[in-house]
């Protein structure tokens, strides 16, 4: 059974009139929520931008997802108060470099809070695309204009409209359970594997309304 982490009412106590357990209970604390978040597996990216003085800023980000294909939008969650977020707000543009499994060192460098923005970029090959710094050697990259920025808790959700994109070949660097991983394909299914149940076949889509396919980028 799921652990709801509800606050106990105490012996003999009853909920007040109009009490809504779902909305009025305090819910799980940050420790429980972080334990939940570590179960997610995500690609590792570096978000980069230029600040108001034209200096590069960047940080490692794993909370990134596609939002829409038409128009092309993606969303990145950046830590509130970070220099990278400030630069993104100031210039209204940013780049996302999707790291390959060979770029763990780059991910660690841009995640190190002890390093200044200049130190993070030191020795890292960078090229300018539409006036925004993009990490060379990345698995893929996109340059975006800021569409919207909203604060949610200790992070800001930044929606970007994709203006340029390039996708190469290779395997991504992954983040799961507070450590880096490489993507390993599952072995092919064997002939002895149980086939899907035939009891409830999927009905054919209506000819008037074609079936809607899920986004390949993970957006919903």
């Amino acid at each position: 059974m799921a652990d709801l982490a509800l606050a106990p009412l105490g012996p003999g106590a009853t909920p007040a009139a109009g009490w809504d357990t779902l909305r009025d209970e305090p819910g799980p604390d940050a420790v429980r929520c972080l334990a939940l978040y570590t179960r997610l597996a995500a690609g590792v990216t570096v978000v980069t931008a230029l600040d108001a003085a034209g200096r590069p800023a960047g940080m490692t980000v794993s909370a990134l997802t596609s939002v829409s294909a038409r128009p092309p939008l993606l969303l990145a969650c950046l830590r509130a108060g970070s220099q990278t977020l400030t630069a993104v707000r100031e210039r209204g543009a940013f780049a996302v470099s999707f790291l390959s499994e060979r770029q763990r060192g780059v991910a660690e460098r841009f995640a190190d809070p002890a390093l200044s923005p200049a130190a993070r970029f030191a020795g890292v090959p960078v090229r300018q695309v539409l006036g925004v710094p993009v990490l060379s050697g990345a698995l893929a990259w996109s340059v975006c204009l800021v569409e919207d920025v909203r604060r949610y808790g200790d992070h800001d959700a930044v929606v970007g409209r994709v203006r340029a994109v390039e996708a190469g070949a290779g395997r991504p660097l992954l983040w799961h359970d507070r450590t880096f991983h490489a993507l390993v394909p599952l072995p092919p299914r064997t002939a002895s594997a149980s086939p899907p149940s035939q009891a409830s076949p999927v009905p054919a889509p209506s000819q008037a309304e074609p079936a809607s396919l899920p986004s390949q980028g993970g957006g919903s």
Side-chain angles (χ1 to χ4, degrees), residues 46-49 51 55-60 79 82-84 87 105-124 126 135:
V46 171
V47 172
T48 51
D51 66 14
R55 296 167 301 199
M59 65 188 299
T60 302
R79 188 177 66 255
S82 66
Q83 292 175 293
T84 302
V106 174
E108 293 173 334
R109 173 185 289 268
F110 279 86
D112 189 345
L115 294 180
S116 67
R120 292 181 179 185
F121 281 90
V124 177
V126 174
L135 302 189

Side-chain angles (χ1 to χ4, degrees), residues 187-207:
R189 292 174 62 90
T190 62
S192 61
S194 300
S197 172
Q198 300 298 318
S200 301
V202 178
S206 166
Q207 296 301 315

Side-chain angles (χ1 to χ4, degrees), residues 4 9 14 16 27 34 40 48 66 72 96 98 116 132-133 144 155 172 182 186 210:
L4 298 180
L9 292 174
T14 57
L34 288 174
L40 293 169
T48 51
S66 61
V96 181
F98 296 69
S116 67
V132 183
C144 306
H155 281 66
L186 291 173

Side-chain angles (χ1 to χ4, degrees), residues 156-185:
D156 280 32
V158 180
V159 177
R161 182 183 290 262
V162 178
R163 304 302 298 165
V165 64
E166 182 175 287
R171 297 194 297 186
L173 181 66
L174 301 179
W175 179 254
H176 171 67
D177 200 16
R178 298 187 174 94
T179 191
F180 293 105
H181 296 267
L183 182 65
V184 179

Side-chain angles (χ1 to χ4, degrees), residues 50-106:
L50 295 178
D51 66 14
R55 296 167 301 199
M59 65 188 299
T60 302
V61 174
S62 61
L64 183 135
T65 188
S66 61
V67 175
S68 169
R70 294 184 296 273
L73 302 172
L74 56 77
L75 181 147
C77 292
L78 307 184
R79 188 177 66 255
S82 66
Q83 292 175 293
T84 302
L85 176 60
T86 300
V88 169
R89 284 181 171 275
E90 290 174 341
R91 285 298 185 101
F94 63 95
V96 181
S97 298
F98 296 69
L99 302 187
S100 76
E101 61 184 0
R102 300 186 301 274
Q103 294 179 298
R104 174 176 178 171
V106 174

